[in-house]
Amino acid sequence: MSDSPVPVTVLGLGLMGQALAGAFLAAGHPTTVWNRSAAKADELVGRGATLAASPAAAVAAGSLIVVCVTDHRAVRELLEPLGDALPGRVLVNLTSGTSREARENAEHTAAQGATYLDGVILTIPSGIGTPEATILYSGPRSTFDEHESALRALGPGATFVGEDHGLAALYDAAMLSVMWGLLNGFLHGTALLGTAGVSATSVVPMLGQGIEAVTGWIARYADQIDAGVYPADDATIDTQRAAMQHLVEESRAAGINGELPAFVTKLADRAVAEGRGGDSYAALIEQFRKSA
Ligand SMILES: NC(=O)c1ccc[n+]([C@@H]2O[C@H](COP(=O)([O-])OP(=O)(O)OC[C@H]3O[C@@H](n4cnc5c(N)ncnc54)[C@H](OP(=O)(O)O)[C@@H]3O)[C@@H](O)[C@H]2O)c1
């Protein structure tokens, strides 16, 4: 693997694409750019980027091609006409999408003679190129290894998650689920306390302690999930279900939206009906594994 800056191409210069191209330039990579609306390249050209006249010309100029446009549809519209330009190139798609779209892209680009890595950016444009930037990649390990040095220009947290092209998108979706789960719990709990005049700001210190405690349980529960056995060495689902019912009751009495605790209670009800009332909370994974 060589650390000398390889020529790179960035297709798509929206907010994120401009940040990506800027980070490659800052790391000394000869950088060719293309955008549907050419004016968005002006600032980058001023910093030394080369503006290509067409996507095909842009692809011909780089050995590593990064695509970052609005969505999967835009990716396909951009790549399909490229035909002859792609063979031998490595395409890194940093456009957000689903795992299915990532796998489809991999198939199409393979048919066009290119190697494909799918990536997920876990930061905002201003984080690109800084230590805060984590980007997850999936696809052939050897391709990631070969280009890791260039990809680290976008952020030192370049992380390979697996050879299945859909994995980066799946990690992204899983992290969104965790994030919204946490945020919704915060919003619901804060709405409840707000009915007694407690401000959102004063909830924060106690929430921090709660989140820290839950983080501690997660590793233990993950072991149980992988083993498929859920010994309740802390609290049983029966016990937690009773607390869930209190939360539903409190929400109702306070006149706030109780759908969130009602949903969680429903999951616990089903687990109890399946004989899992004596298991740990981790046994609810069995409910999430079923389609609704
Ligand atoms: N911004 C973030 O914080 C962030 C964080 C993580 C991931 N992402 C992902 O990064 C991707 C880009 O986001 P962004 O913030 O850069 O969006 P954006 O500022 O809206 O830019 C969208 C880009 O896509 C191009 N585009 C759209 N349709 C196209 C088409 N049919 N053919 C060619 N180019 C097309 C646009 O070209 P024109 O300039 O000509 O319209 C523009 O360059 C998205 O998938 C987003 O989810 C963004």
Side-chain angles (χ1 to χ4, degrees), residues 116-118 136-141 144 159-168 171:
Y116 183 78
L117 284 176
D118 202 74
L136 310 181
Y137 296 93
S138 50
R141 170 100 226 188
F144 175 80
T159 306
F160 181 76
V161 292
E163 297 239 341
D164 172 351
H165 286 97
L167 267 178
Y171 269 92

Side-chain angles (χ1 to χ4, degrees), residues 96-228:
S96 303
T98 65
S99 56
R100 182 175 159 200
E101 288 168 343
R103 292 175 188 130
E104 281 174 8
N105 285 337
E107 275 176 32
H108 282 97
T109 48
Q112 287 177 290
T115 309
Y116 183 78
L117 284 176
D118 202 74
V120 161
I121 300 171
L122 303 180
T123 186
I124 55 174
S126 60
I128 295 296
T130 75
E132 284 138 50
T134 295
I135 305 184
L136 310 181
Y137 296 93
S138 50
R141 170 100 226 188
S142 56
T143 306
F144 175 80
D145 288 347
E146 194 183 333
H147 295 280
E148 185 179 355
S149 159
L151 295 174
R152 284 172 69 83
L154 305 178
T159 306
F160 181 76
V161 292
E163 297 239 341
D164 172 351
H165 286 97
L167 267 178
L170 276 184
Y171 269 92
D172 189 32
M175 276 189 257
L176 288 174
S177 183
V178 170
M179 178 187 83
W180 284 323
L182 200 56
L183 287 176
N184 289 333
F186 159 63
L187 295 176
H188 179 261
T190 301
L192 189 60
L193 282 166
T195 63
V198 179
S199 73
T201 329
S202 53
V203 176
V204 173
M206 212 172 292
L207 262 188
Q209 288 171 21
I211 291 169
E212 210 172 295
V214 172
T215 307
W217 303 341
I218 283 176
R220 197 157 36 86
Y221 283 170
D223 284 341
Q224 294 189 2
I225 290 166
D226 285 344

Side-chain angles (χ1 to χ4, degrees), residues 11-18 20 34-38 40 67-75 77-78 94-97 120-126 172:
L11 300 174
L13 300 176
L15 293 172
M16 188 52 88
Q18 289 186 44
L20 299 171
W34 176 88
N35 193 55
R36 187 175 58 177
S37 320
K40 287 190 186 166
V67 183
C68 189
V69 288
T70 304
D71 54 19
H72 177 69
R73 194 179 175 159
V75 172
E77 279 176 21
L78 195 55
L94 296 180
T95 305
S96 303
V120 161
I121 300 171
L122 303 180
T123 186
I124 55 174
S126 60
D172 189 32

Side-chain angles (χ1 to χ4, degrees), residues 1-69:
M1 191 175 76
S2 161
D3 278 347
S4 64
V6 295
V8 298
T9 289
V10 178
L11 300 174
L13 300 176
L15 293 172
M16 188 52 88
Q18 289 186 44
L20 299 171
F24 279 132
L25 282 171
H29 289 271
T31 304
T32 300
V33 294
W34 176 88
N35 193 55
R36 187 175 58 177
S37 320
K40 287 190 186 166
D42 289 351
E43 199 257 326
L44 292 161
V45 169
R47 290 170 59 192
T50 302
L51 175 62
S54 67
V59 168
S63 50
L64 184 69
I65 317 297
V66 171
V67 183
C68 189
V69 288

